Structure formats: structure tokens, C-alpha cells
Amino acid sequence: MAAQRYVPLPESRVPVVAEPDVLVVGGGSAGLSAAVAAARNGAEVLLLERFSYLGGLATGGLIILLLTLDDGAGRRAVGGLCQEMVERLEQRGAVYYPPPNQWNNADPKLVEHYARWGLVWGNPSPEGHRVRYSAAFEPHEFIFAADEMVREAGVQALYQTWACEPVIEGREITAVVIQNKAGRQAVAAKVVVDATGDGDLFAAAGEPYELERVHPWLWFLMGGVQDVGQALDAGKGFFFHTPGRDRVLVPWGGEARVRRKIDATDPGEVSAALVECRRMVLEEAARLKGSTPGFEDAYISLMADQLGITESRRLQGDYVMTRGDLDRAFADTVARTGHWTKYDCVYNIPYRSLLPRGLDNLLVAGRCISVDHRVHHATKEIPPCMATGQAAGTAAAMAAAAGVSVKRLDVEKLRERLLAQGAILG
Ligand SMILES: Cc1cc2nc3c(=O)[nH]c(=O)nc-3n(C[C@H](O)[C@H](O)[C@H](O)COP(=O)(O)OP(=O)(O)OC[C@H]3O[C@@H](n4cnc5c(N)ncnc54)[C@H](O)[C@@H]3O)c2cc1C
């Protein structure tokens, strides 16, 4: 193999273009929540996003199911900004979910009804499946609602901008170098939240992490379906009801469809998988059209514009949650989640799982927090990502205002603040 070549870069200086209290990197469901929470708690906030919209996988990845906001026993497990999003979507007529009096109901007909919306998954409990508090939503309306939340909170959002590398002095990130059409610039914030999903910042800062290779997904919507109920009855494909008329959601991809696992932080592997998955999506759409009653005039009306990546880097932070933490109470719980494939169990998420070991002004939120592979199965879902985002953003605002390390924050006060703002902490 040829030796790796390198190009020396001239020493350079980049202008500091912003000095907010809190910089949130990544505008997925976690970053959106972190930014809004930080701003509502008094911080001046800059939110950076490499693409042109908020929501990340929840919108651009067409993962348009909030699984789950309950504990699988009929009680709410996630509230706060995720619940607020459900209510905003409801006002826009863009969400579908079971009413509270149906949660935990084991009536097979009711369960089957919601399963057809993609709202019931996993292994049944001993008594069979039960209705969960999960929600199907319309992706564009999520983006509109997110824009509204960010604007109302006074967050400054900067799109089409990559965070490239942190500048570190001692235990502090003094600036984050960014890249966009204006060139290379820097943002110097008091506290930074890494909500990149892939942990780009903590990885570049040299913090320990685990990396998982995964089978990619590429979800898509088909329009022009004649009678979705009848099409589902025919049982000729894997698809769901979704908000909007004559449309279905096709959750395509994964182990059953894609041969190779990829490292989602390797652009070469991601690029090859994108092209291959798009080709196979075309084939699957043609197959559905040819074999499923009601799909004769169907067409791909929207395809995810990013691969569905369940997992990549996971922080190895101050505390790494493991399976043994199921139903365990922590004094520093700042978020909580049920399990989308299991009934009547909960993970309480400690503040320490949002903290890298070696930095005093970085918090981590969303699917890359400090948990093991098994716990990640639960904490990667959109509701818990929004809950850890809300916790990280609130903590960041409090640390910036008090001028203290995120490690020295009064966690009891943080919990009080989160509870007052609708979070559920158990
Ligand atoms: C196939 C699949 C099915 C799933 N099913 C469900 C489901 O049914 N229900 C459910 O609730 N969850 C589901 N999930 C999980 C869930 O969708 C994600 O884990 C969750 O949306 C992650 O949110 P996040 O904000 O942590 O990360 P992301 O949504 O990945 O957001 C990260 C954001 O950061 C931006 N970004 C990344 N790097 C940079 C950078 N360097 N600079 C600037 N911006 C950057 C990205 O563009 C993105 O907007 C599924 C996931 C997959 C892949």
C-alpha cells in the first residue's frame, strides 16, 4: 500500500464571527431542543447546521415516528419539548397518535390499528402487545414547527455550515472552527453542545468513544396509493399509514436489505451506500407497484435525503450507561425514556452521561451520548434525544450564566429547572 501523503497547510488565522453564551452544533431533534432550551433559560444561542433544515434524521431521514413517549405501562416517560412538539404538530393537523385513554390497552384490534401506523413494535409482553404513546408525523410540518420554536426563543440558526474542529486550551474549547461559503471562521462560545449525532466535536477533541458499524436505511414515502387500508390487508410489503392522503411510509433498508455494514463517519462508505440504496429503493418501489393492490398509480413522492444511520460514535463519558441500569434511579437523572420494543421499563439518564471526561465546557446530547450499544437502542429514539437535548441546553445556559464548568453545575437546581419546564424525571 502506498504511504499516506500529506499536504502542509500554511499557518493561518480565522476571524471570530460570533461569541454566544452557548453554541449548539447540529440541528437534529437533540440540537433543536438544546438550542431552544438554552435560549429559554436566558442564554444567547447560536445553532449550527450543515444542511438547510432542522430535525436531522427525524425530518431529512424521514424517520417520522416518535417512538415512544411512554414507559409501556400507560405512563408518560418523556414530556418537555418533545411533548410541546407533538402539541404544535397537532395544531397544524400533522400528527397522529392514540389518545391517553387508549395507552396500554391490549385490545388486539386497537393494537393492530396502531401497528399499521408504525406505532407498535418489538416483542409482545406476556399478555400480548399494548397500545403505546407514540406518534406519526408529517416531516415538513416538523420543520415549520421547529423553525417557529427557534425563532420564538431568539436562537440564531446558521445553516449550510459545518463545524470542523474545536480549538482546545487546557480543559476548555475556546473556539470551534466552522466552514461555509464565506470560508473558514470561528465561534467562541462559553459552552458548547455536541448534537452532531456522530459526536464530531468530542471525537475531534480526542475524547474516548466507541464506534459502531451499521446497516444503512433509506426510508421513503409513496403517494398515489388507492386505498391504503386495502393495500395493507394484501400483506405484500412492509409499509405504514402516514399523515396525508393516499400516502404510505416505506421503512426500507437495514440488515434484511443491505448486505454491508458501514462506518457512517467514513464519507467514502456513506457515498457508496447512498448510491446503492437509492438504486434498491427504485427496485422496491417498482416491486410494490407491480405486486400490491392499490399501488398501480403509486410513485415515490419523497425519499430521505440522508441515510438512516442508527448508530455511529458513542461517547465514553463520565458515566457509561449499561443494560444493568434498566429501571435504576440516579440522583442526577436529567432525562428519562421508555423502550420502544419493550413494555414497562424505563432508563433514567444521568447528567454524567452527557459529560465528556476531559473537557469543562462541552455537553453531548442525542444519539451519541455515553451509553453502551444495548442502551443506545432505547436512548437513540427521537423523544429521548429531545429530552437529553433539553437537559444539555438547560445545563449549558446555567453553566454559562454562572461561569462554572459543566462538571461543577448544581445538578439539583438543573433538575428543578427541567421539571419546571415540563421534563419528566421520575
Ligand atoms: C432507520 C432508523 C429508524 C429509526 N426509527 C425510529 C423511530 O421509529 N422512532 C424514533 O423515535 N427514532 C427512530 N430512530 C432514531 C432516531 O431517528 C435518531 O436516533 C434521532 O433522530 C437522532 O437525533 P439526533 O439529533 O441525535 O441526531 P441527528 O438527527 O443525526 O441530527 C444531527 C444533526 O447534526 C448535523 N450535523 C452533523 N454533523 C455536523 C457538523 N459537523 N456540523 C454541523 N452540523 C452537523 C446533521 O446534519 C443533523 O442535522 C431511527 C433511526 C434510524 C436510522
Side-chain angles (χ1 to χ4, degrees), residues 15 33-34 39 62 83 88 96 116 126 151 157 208 211 217 237 246 255 270 273 283 297 301 318 341 355:
S33 306
L62 279 184
Q83 177 58 33
R88 286 180 184 248
Y96 184 73
R116 286 174 160 225
R151 193 177 55 245
L211 177 73
W217 299 73
D246 311 327
E255 198 170 353
V270 169
E283 282 173 11
D297 298 324
S301 58
D318 277 358
T341 64
L355 298 181

Side-chain angles (χ1 to χ4, degrees), residues 235-422:
K236 297 274 177 158
F238 187 43
F239 52 87
F240 299 125
H241 279 287
T242 195
R245 288 185 53 201
D246 311 327
R247 286 200 311 183
V248 297
L249 170 64
V250 187
W252 183 90
E255 198 170 353
R257 304 303 179 108
V258 187
R259 243 178 322 118
R260 256 174 303 135
K261 284 186 175 181
I262 63 163
D263 167 0
T265 65
D266 179 325
E269 290 195 41
V270 169
S271 301
L274 272 167
V275 175
E276 198 184 342
C277 288
R278 283 201 287 259
R279 181 182 59 72
M280 288 194 282
V281 158
L282 265 185
E283 282 173 11
E284 174 63 3
R287 192 192 68 75
L288 284 168
K289 213 167 139 64
S291 65
T292 310
F295 272 66
E296 294 77 10
D297 298 324
Y299 55 92
I300 296 174
S301 58
L302 191 61
M303 186 174 58
D305 68 20
Q306 46 184 293
L307 285 178
I309 297 299
T310 45
E311 202 168 356
S312 56
R313 297 188 191 105
R314 282 181 278 103
L315 176 70
Q316 299 278 288
D318 277 358
Y319 187 81
V320 185
M321 290 184 74
T322 64
R323 202 176 175 205
D325 291 325
L326 193 67
D327 290 322
R328 178 169 295 167
F330 294 104
D332 63 338
T333 295
V334 290
R336 195 161 207 255
T337 184
H339 200 302
W340 62 289
T341 64
K342 296 193 176 101
Y343 291 87
D344 201 7
C345 61
V346 160
Y347 281 112
N348 294 301
I349 303 171
Y351 181 55
R352 287 161 294 153
S353 284
L354 314 187
L355 298 181
R357 294 177 190 169
L359 291 165
D360 282 339
N361 68 339
L362 181 67
L363 286 146
V364 176
R367 67 182 160 93
C368 52
I369 63 168
S370 179
V371 295
D372 72 4
H373 174 64
R374 278 182 174 273
V375 178
H376 180 271
H377 201 48
T379 56
K380 76 167 192 315
E381 298 296 279
I382 300 163
C385 284
M386 296 189 76
T388 57
Q390 182 168 1
T394 307
M398 290 173 70
V404 297
S405 156
V406 293
K407 307 241 184 198
R408 310 248 320 248
L409 198 66
D410 183 336
V411 181
E412 206 33 58
K413 286 218 170 82
L414 169 62
R415 285 168 44 85
E416 278 166 24
R417 191 82 69 96
L418 287 166
L419 285 168
Q421 293 172 2

Side-chain angles (χ1 to χ4, degrees), residues 25-32 48-51 53-58 61 63-68 118 121 161-164 195-198 200-201 215-219 252 306-311 340 365-368 376 379-385:
V25 182
S29 52
L32 154 71
L48 286 191
E49 169 53 48
R50 66 178 160 163
F51 295 146
Y53 54 85
L54 297 174
L57 283 168
I63 311 295
I64 48 180
L65 302 169
L66 298 171
L67 302 183
T68 47
W121 294 78
T161 300
W162 280 81
C164 308
T196 58
D198 299 317
D200 288 9
L201 280 182
H215 295 278
W217 299 73
L218 197 60
W219 288 23
W252 183 90
Q306 46 184 293
L307 285 178
I309 297 299
T310 45
E311 202 168 356
W340 62 289
R367 67 182 160 93
C368 52
H376 180 271
T379 56
K380 76 167 192 315
E381 298 296 279
I382 300 163
C385 284

Side-chain angles (χ1 to χ4, degrees), residues 87-138:
E87 286 160 20
R88 286 180 184 248
L89 289 167
E90 177 120 60
Q91 280 167 13
R92 312 176 86 92
V95 67
Y96 184 73
Y97 61 93
N101 63 4
Q102 291 181 351
W103 302 348
N104 213 31
N105 193 318
D107 174 0
K109 272 208 181 119
L110 209 53
V111 169
E112 171 63 12
H113 169 79
Y114 289 112
R116 286 174 160 225
W117 279 84
L119 301 181
V120 181
W121 294 78
N123 301 321
S125 68
E127 311 84 54
H129 277 300
R130 302 196 292 253
V131 175
R132 304 294 303 260
Y133 177 22
S134 291
F137 62 92
E138 213 287 322

